[in-house]
Amino acid sequence: MDWTLWLELVIKALVLIFALLGGFAYLTWYERRLLARFQSRLGPNRAGPFGLLQPIADAVKLIFKEELTPAKAYKLVFFLAPIMTLVPSVIIAAVIPWGPPFQLGDRIVTQSIADINVGVLFLMSIASIAVYGIVLAGWSSNNKYAMLGGLRSAAQMISYELTLGLAFVVAILLGNSMNLTDIVEAQRDGRWFVLVQPVGALILWIATLAEVNRHPFDMPEAEQELTAGYHTEYSGMKFALFFMAEYQKMIVVSAILATLFFGGYLGPWVDRWPLLGPVYMFLKIVILLFIMIWVRATWPRIRYDRLMAFGWKVLLPLALAVVMITAVGILLAEINPWMIWLIPIFSLIAGAFASLMIDRSLRRKAYA
Amino acid sequence: MATTVSTKSVDLSTIFPDAVIADERKGYTGWLVEKDNLIEIATYVREELDYDLLSSVTGVDYLPEEKMEVVYQVYKTTGGPGLFFKVQIPREDPMEIPSVINIWPGADLQEREIWDLYGIKFPGHPDLRRILTWEGFEGHPMRKDWQEPFYEEETKPFKSRWPKGEHIHAEEINPYHDNLKFPPKFNPENWTPTDPEEALYTSLKKFTTKNEDGLEAEQIIVNMGPQHPSTHGVFRAVVVLDGEKVVSLKPVMGYLHRNHEKIGERNTYLHNMPYTDRLDYFNSMANNWAYALAVEKLMGIEVTERSEYIRVIMSELTRIQNHLVWVGIFLNDLGAVVTPLLYAFEERELILDIFEEVSGARMMCNYYRFGGVVRDMPVRAFEKLKQLVYDRLPGKIEEFERLLSENEILLSRVKGIGYLSAKDAIATSMTGPMLRASGVPYDIRRAEPYGIYDRFDFDVVTRPECDLYARYHVRIEEMHQSLRILEQAVSTIPEGPILPKKPVYQVRVPAGEAYGRIESPKGELGFYVISNGKPNPWRYHVRAPSFINITALEKMCVGEKIADFVAILGAIDIVLGELDR
């Protein structure tokens, strides 16, 4: 390894980390402004033009805020939990390809930090780690609300991880690779996987909502029930770390969703100017985030037991069915390429059937 | 209007000649019942005479006569005038009156309140603890001989604090410690707040169930409140949880207690009007009316025609804004961030604009006076009102329905949750939308019309489902009915005087008792006022719907999930200013 490789990696890592941190800050602004528009308000518009300095003001406030540690908390774990939540949300972004490789001098620069061949597996494993921070935060706070929040999140994340994995499998099958760059490249010529497998994309989207504890699956921090859930006892910068982790996860899962199903960095003229790749990614992420915020602004929260029932009884079987349909469709496509379009037809039928099931499962009263 | 409710339609004294005599004090109605026969007579009233709704139980301290009285006001859910009966006991401790909780379970919290404030014990009550004050409180503050710290005088207006042109602080006349009483052996320095809570937690323990499948499972006690985002203020519910399931629950209240009734007894009659605003601060227009109604009954005065219309208009407007905000807050309780709430607030602001133009205040309106309202409605406000009633509100309420009523998640959160059967709802003295959502068509505007409600055409909204879904729909539909009333009132309001005679600060109220009750947006709001002919009420009792509707909270919540508890509590529509008084 020569020193330029090190330099390249360091620069790319720094750019990514700063982009994520800045993205987090401005995602809070974006969300607050959008929520405000949905709620016929104006939102933060005092600090700087359009309130653009608001995140900085918030950061200053949080840094100077007193940090309280409950007397009976498990101090070490209480201290480590926010860090354990934040770190996975950053490193998960390492494998995402932000654009096609480009020539710089005499070397080829890839636009991802680590273009590993089991990228999807890496995503899965890191996504699973994130739950530890939340559970430990809930447990170490020695607070009943926090503990309930932590327990909820453990159960919820584990349940939806299966669905998440199966949705990944769909993309793997379609892309015929576990490497994220290969998956993106397989979606060239407008053959985005969301067109081939719309239900798979929807499942992945729902599962990621649950995975990052976003509305309407924000059980662990259900304000109306558990005050603030697992981070009830956190204040100041420790709280900000949880906040940061949540919003970075939002960005990252949107990036994953864009990569796996929405053509990743692909777009017009991206081959001529490879640096357009990050721009397309950015636009796709912003649109996906917009949908997340839209959902938050309009829907009530699903009740916890129904969330579990929904995950296990509707989403998981549907994901299995979709995987099977995809696999069979790919086999059939070898006979006749047009057979690939049987996949969306059959998966939409399966999806419609599942939404009937949702209707029934949501309205059922008791789940023991 | 302003006819005294006749309770003589049922002659209890001929049925129980030995135990009942008619209450023949001047201005009083009802029956005086012997303490020993109370249960027998109450059972008869409940079972044979079908007075199924215990509206209010309250104590009265007749210090000069050395008597303590407990007043029971019962009504039929099929409508008609009520039946008042009273139990008098000598005013010396220990005072005991058998509890009627087995006949009317709705007496639960009210008897606890009487024990707390008057010190009358109710043998037979399963959980007779203090309710509004805390367990370590010394004395019973509603007794006439109880004096608060900084006590100045028995009644307002107080003597001048500038008698010699120099200000005297109240605490200089009456140093703080002189009037602060503690229970015996109580030292505030060494006190830890665990002891008084023990009674509460013990009362919960008897509800805990053993796990039968042999697995050791621990139930946890979670305090929802007093500082909790979903308890609508400083309400606290101690919840025993088995996993996410509510096993048992006890409401704890009084964090906002200010002894409103004692303040009311120190005040003059007109003084009390702005104080009623602070009870249910969403609906000051309704509160004013209930109080004015009670005092008007006592005074025997007529309300002017135009004022009657203005009263109906204001009361229905306040109902619409209350229900709108309720829908918003309920959705908020279900986790819909605050979008519906802000949509509701947008409409509410327009209604408050009208309140502001007529009364000068948006929330604390203080608008009604005995015999009318304080000032006429300005022309501009009337134009705004017409625009709201005819153009804006109907569409907006429909928009609410369209946006929310079919939402899958909402339906899954409300259908079949918080079941309360009609029988239980009546037994626990639920009133208002809560009762109507259990399928009981009981609306005081119809059951015992006050004001000029008998002239308007509207439906009493009921739903048969008895769950949150029904409570949601009853309120939505009631807004439509309120609009119907408003349209009729706006188109037929006559010109004329606002008050029957020149307004005075000191009204003359003849001795007697009166119970004025209205259909407030939250339920039956009643004011029980006793006058002894002096400028201040001898007894001023608020029958608060928020307070009494809490009685059924445990019944509705047990077996549901913790998330449902929040929704069920939200559906009762409590306001802590009224609950804690």
Side-chain angles (χ1 to χ4, degrees):
Chain A
M1 267 196 223
D2 59 314
W3 64 275
T4 49
L5 182 64
W6 285 108
L7 187 67
E8 182 196 322
L9 281 178
V10 168
I11 290 174
K12 281 199 293 193
L14 282 178
V15 167
L16 182 66
I17 287 174
F18 281 112
L20 276 178
L21 287 178
F24 145 71
Y26 279 90
L27 178 55
T28 61
W29 174 84
Y30 180 60
E31 174 165 39
R32 286 171 69 183
R33 291 288 288 193
L34 265 184
L35 272 182
R37 299 310 301 173
F38 281 117
Q39 297 167 349
S40 54
R41 295 186 286 126
L42 289 175
N45 64 350
R46 296 288 101 180
F50 308 109
L52 277 173
L53 296 179
Q54 187 68 39
I56 297 166
D58 286 342
V60 171
K61 183 207 99 177
L62 280 169
I63 289 168
F64 284 102
K65 230 177 152 176
E66 186 182 0
E67 277 188 28
L68 297 169
T69 308
K72 291 189 178 168
Y74 193 128
K75 298 277 180 339
L76 180 67
V77 179
F78 187 78
F79 173 74
L80 280 177
I83 301 168
M84 287 173 69
T85 321
L86 179 67
V87 170
S89 75
V90 180
I91 53 178
I92 199 170
V95 289
I96 295 168
W98 299 89
F102 59 91
Q103 190 92 20
L104 189 75
D106 57 346
R107 56 177 298 119
I108 307 272
V109 180
T110 56
Q111 291 197 49
S112 64
I113 292 175
D115 190 13
I116 54 177
N117 54 4
V118 285
V120 180
L121 201 61
F122 179 83
L123 290 182
M124 274 303 293
S125 49
I126 301 297
S128 318
I129 290 178
V131 71
Y132 281 102
I134 289 176
V135 174
L136 289 177
W139 173 75
S140 67
S141 299
N142 200 2
N143 174 321
K144 284 171 185 167
Y145 295 131
M147 193 182 73
L148 280 173
L151 288 177
R152 278 179 172 196
S153 94
Q156 173 185 337
M157 287 176 141
I158 289 166
S159 319
Y160 277 76
E161 221 139 70
L162 293 171
T163 316
L164 191 75
L166 287 171
F168 283 169
V169 169
V170 172
I172 294 168
L173 285 173
L174 287 171
N176 199 18
S177 167
M178 281 184 112
N179 182 315
L180 287 166
T181 315
D182 289 351
I183 290 177
V184 174
E185 290 297 327
Q187 303 180 51
R188 270 192 187 276
D189 309 323
R191 242 188 58 166
W192 289 3
F193 289 167
V194 67
L195 302 175
V196 185
Q197 188 45 283
V199 182
L202 186 69
I203 292 173
L204 180 58
W205 182 68
I206 295 174
T208 49
L209 277 186
E211 193 69 16
V212 298
N213 302 326
R214 282 294 293 186
H215 231 82
F217 305 119
D218 56 342
M219 299 307 126
E221 46 199 295
E223 187 198 350
Q224 279 72 24
E225 297 141 35
L226 303 177
T227 56
Y230 61 89
H231 60 60
T232 306
E233 295 288 356
Y234 284 88
S235 59
M237 221 36 217
K238 286 203 196 96
F239 165 72
L241 287 184
F242 278 120
F243 206 59
M244 207 187 273
E246 192 191 322
Y247 280 77
Q248 283 181 5
K249 271 194 259 170
M250 274 172 72
I251 300 175
V252 169
V253 296
S254 299
I256 293 171
L257 193 56
T259 308
L260 292 182
F261 281 96
F262 291 88
Y265 52 75
L266 294 176
W269 303 299
V270 77
D271 293 323
R272 201 182 306 165
W273 294 297
L275 285 177
L276 270 180
V279 176
Y280 286 130
M281 275 297 267
F282 176 76
L283 287 178
K284 286 171 184 173
I285 289 172
V286 165
I287 291 168
L288 289 169
L289 286 174
F290 173 82
I291 299 172
M292 276 195 184
I293 294 164
W294 189 5
V295 167
R296 176 167 180 212
T298 42
W299 280 358
R301 182 182 302 118
I302 290 186
R303 211 177 65 192
Y304 176 67
D305 55 325
R306 300 226 160 119
L307 169 92
M308 300 300 280
F310 175 64
W312 286 106
K313 295 186 182 170
V314 180
L315 217 50
L316 187 61
L318 178 65
L320 280 168
V322 161
V323 167
M324 198 191 78
I325 291 168
T326 314
V328 172
I330 287 169
L331 279 181
L332 289 176
E334 286 177 7
I335 305 167
N336 179 349
W338 286 105
M339 296 279 242
I340 196 92
W341 298 107
L342 286 176
I343 299 177
I345 295 167
F346 277 101
S347 47
L348 280 175
I349 292 170
F353 180 71
S355 58
L356 273 178
M357 291 291 108
I358 296 173
D359 200 52
R360 278 187 52 203
S361 97
L362 281 177
R363 284 166 199 243
R364 285 252 311 273
K365 190 170 186 293
Y367 291 100
Chain B
M1 233 339 282
T3 47
T4 329
V5 176
S6 161
T7 56
K8 300 283 179 195
S9 51
V10 180
D11 196 351
L12 278 182
S13 59
T14 51
I15 305 166
F16 298 98
D18 301 332
V20 180
I21 49 165
D23 190 353
E24 284 177 344
R25 290 170 289 179
K26 193 171 173 296
Y28 284 73
T29 51
W31 310 94
L32 291 175
V33 171
E34 284 295 321
K35 173 182 141 189
D36 300 331
N37 302 71
L38 173 69
I39 295 299
E40 181 195 348
I41 292 163
T43 313
Y44 180 81
V45 168
R46 169 73 186 82
E47 300 298 335
E48 303 296 323
L49 302 179
D50 274 337
Y51 283 93
D52 47 1
L53 185 77
L54 178 73
S55 167
S56 156
V57 187
T58 186
V60 187
D61 180 5
Y62 288 104
L63 184 63
E65 288 105 28
E66 286 292 313
K67 272 183 189 151
M68 200 66 102
E69 188 177 283
V70 172
V71 186
Y72 299 83
Q73 280 141 348
V74 289
Y75 288 87
K76 292 178 179 174
T77 45
T78 47
L83 182 72
F84 295 3
F85 55 95
K86 299 148 193 183
V87 181
Q88 288 194 332
I89 45 171
R91 197 182 180 287
E92 54 201 31
D93 285 317
M95 291 178 266
E96 284 187 350
I97 290 176
S99 169
V100 295
I101 191 166
N102 292 325
I103 303 159
W104 292 288
D108 182 0
L109 299 183
Q110 306 190 60
E111 282 182 351
R112 278 177 66 189
E113 184 188 309
I114 299 171
W115 154 242
D116 190 359
L117 301 182
Y118 281 96
I120 300 171
K121 279 210 153 115
F122 292 90
H125 192 293
D127 189 23
L128 197 68
R129 285 175 292 120
R130 283 182 181 270
I131 183 163
L132 292 174
T133 60
W134 57 293
E135 284 297 329
F137 195 89
E138 171 71 357
H140 300 281
M142 279 304 289
R143 289 188 180 179
K144 286 285 177 185
D145 52 3
W146 190 89
Q147 289 165 348
E148 67 275 20
F150 299 110
Y151 168 80
E152 275 184 71
E153 277 170 68
E154 200 56 49
T155 53
K156 284 180 189 168
F158 293 152
K159 288 191 203 77
S160 171
R161 286 183 188 162
W162 289 264
K164 293 170 192 137
E166 210 174 307
H167 188 272
I168 305 168
H169 294 283
E171 52 270 36
E172 283 166 23
I173 320 167
N174 184 353
Y176 185 66
H177 52 87
D178 275 7
N179 211 7
L180 189 64
K181 299 186 190 74
F182 293 114
K185 293 187 205 159
F186 179 85
N187 182 359
E189 303 293 321
N190 303 335
W191 179 70
T192 50
T194 49
D195 304 326
E197 300 282 87
E198 252 172 40
L200 166 69
Y201 292 131
T202 321
S203 81
L204 273 170
K205 284 221 175 71
K206 68 180 174 222
F207 294 104
T208 53
T209 47
K210 284 272 176 286
N211 208 342
E212 281 165 14
D213 55 8
L215 283 172
E216 282 283 319
E218 210 174 311
Q219 293 166 335
I220 57 169
I221 292 180
V222 176
N223 274 296
M224 301 291 275
Q227 282 94 25
H228 189 280
S230 298
T231 50
H232 299 243
V234 283
F235 180 74
R236 169 178 163 210
V238 186
V239 185
V240 180
L241 287 183
D242 181 5
E244 291 251 333
K245 206 168 82 185
V246 176
V247 180
S248 144
L249 178 151
K250 279 274 164 188
V252 184
M253 57 200 90
Y255 293 94
L256 209 61
H257 181 58
R258 54 211 183 272
N259 216 343
H260 181 93
E261 295 177 5
K262 187 85 170 178
I263 297 171
E265 286 169 17
R266 297 243 191 276
N267 284 342
T268 65
Y269 285 94
L270 194 58
H271 262 147
N272 275 336
M273 192 61 86
Y275 280 77
T276 62
D277 293 342
R278 274 82 180 164
L279 285 168
D280 173 2
Y281 41 76
F282 274 103
N283 302 304
S284 58
M285 289 290 190
N287 303 343
N288 284 178
W289 198 354
Y291 176 60
L293 203 64
V295 178
E296 279 156 10
K297 274 184 188 173
L298 273 175
M299 293 165 73
I301 54 171
E302 293 288 325
V303 182
T304 60
E305 188 71 5
R306 185 171 170 83
S307 288
E308 288 281 27
Y309 275 86
I310 294 179
R311 283 180 173 196
V312 168
I313 288 170
M314 293 306 152
S315 157
E316 293 309 314
L317 278 179
T318 200
R319 191 183 317 278
I320 291 176
Q321 62 97 2
N322 179 77
H323 285 355
L324 269 175
V325 173
W326 177 85
V327 172
I329 293 184
F330 182 62
L331 264 291
N332 199 28
D333 284 341
L334 293 180
V337 205
V338 288
T339 314
L341 184 61
L342 284 162
Y343 275 61
F345 265 59
E346 207 179 337
E347 306 313 309
R348 177 172 183 251
E349 287 300 303
L350 297 173
I351 295 176
L352 293 192
D353 281 345
I354 293 177
F355 288 174
E356 188 179 359
E357 290 209 24
V358 298
S359 72
R362 297 173 75 81
M363 285 178 81
M364 305 298 150
C365 295
N366 185 19
Y367 184 52
Y368 292 39
R369 289 292 177 272
F370 311 124
V373 293
V374 67
R375 62 183 78 81
D376 202 349
M377 193 191 299
V379 180
R380 214 171 63 142
F382 192 62
E383 290 306 315
K384 272 190 185 174
L385 172 71
K386 276 202 269 192
Q387 197 261 335
L388 264 187
V389 169
Y390 287 119
D391 299 335
R392 188 168 171 115
L393 285 178
K396 284 289 170 184
I397 293 168
E398 264 160 36
E399 180 185 304
F400 255 76
E401 270 189 281
R402 204 173 62 242
L403 288 176
L404 301 173
S405 299
E406 291 300 312
N407 184 306
E408 287 294 328
I409 301 179
L410 176 74
L411 291 182
S412 79
R413 289 292 308 267
V414 297
K415 281 203 165 176
I417 307 294
Y419 182 82
L420 185 71
S421 69
K423 192 165 157 269
D424 289 337
I426 296 171
T428 46
S429 295
M430 304 297 270
T431 45
M434 290 295 290
L435 184 59
R436 291 193 285 278
S438 291
V440 183
Y442 180 72
D443 185 324
I444 300 170
R445 291 175 295 174
R446 276 274 183 268
E448 199 194 349
Y450 54 96
I452 49 167
Y453 274 112
D454 43 0
R455 298 184 202 170
F456 295 113
D457 187 25
F458 67 97
D459 297 334
V460 175
V461 185
T462 58
R463 292 289 294 203
E465 288 96 339
C466 311
D467 56 6
L468 294 180
Y469 181 74
R471 284 161 213 159
Y472 169 81
H473 265 278
V474 161
R475 283 177 171 107
I476 293 268
E477 191 49 40
E478 267 185 19
M479 286 194 273
H480 286 302
Q481 297 302 332
S482 288
L483 279 176
R484 261 176 83 185
I485 299 176
L486 278 172
E487 280 172 17
Q488 296 165 46
V490 166
S491 58
T492 55
I493 180 168
E495 291 297 322
I498 283 302
L499 284 167
K501 50 191 175 190
K502 219 169 139 259
V504 286
Y505 290 114
Q506 194 67 274
V507 290
R508 200 167 286 282
V509 182
E513 62 165 5
Y515 184 54
R517 56 183 201 138
I518 65 157
E519 184 68 32
S520 119
K522 295 188 163 54
E524 174 181 337
L525 175 66
F527 279 81
Y528 178 63
V529 181
I530 292 180
S531 165
N532 57 356
K534 299 223 171 69
N536 311 79
W538 181 256
R539 178 77 177 104
Y540 163 83
H541 173 67
V542 188
R543 188 261 186 226
S546 298
F547 175 64
I548 292 166
N549 285 357
I550 282 291
T551 315
L553 183 65
E554 188 186 346
K555 204 176 224 65
M556 289 188 280
C557 286
V558 167
E560 306 285 9
K561 301 285 185 287
I562 184 76
D564 294 327
F565 156 74
V566 172
I568 292 168
L569 180 69
I572 298 176
D573 195 6
I574 56 169
V575 158
L576 266 290
E578 185 178 69
L579 204 153
D580 286 346
R581 278 161 297 142

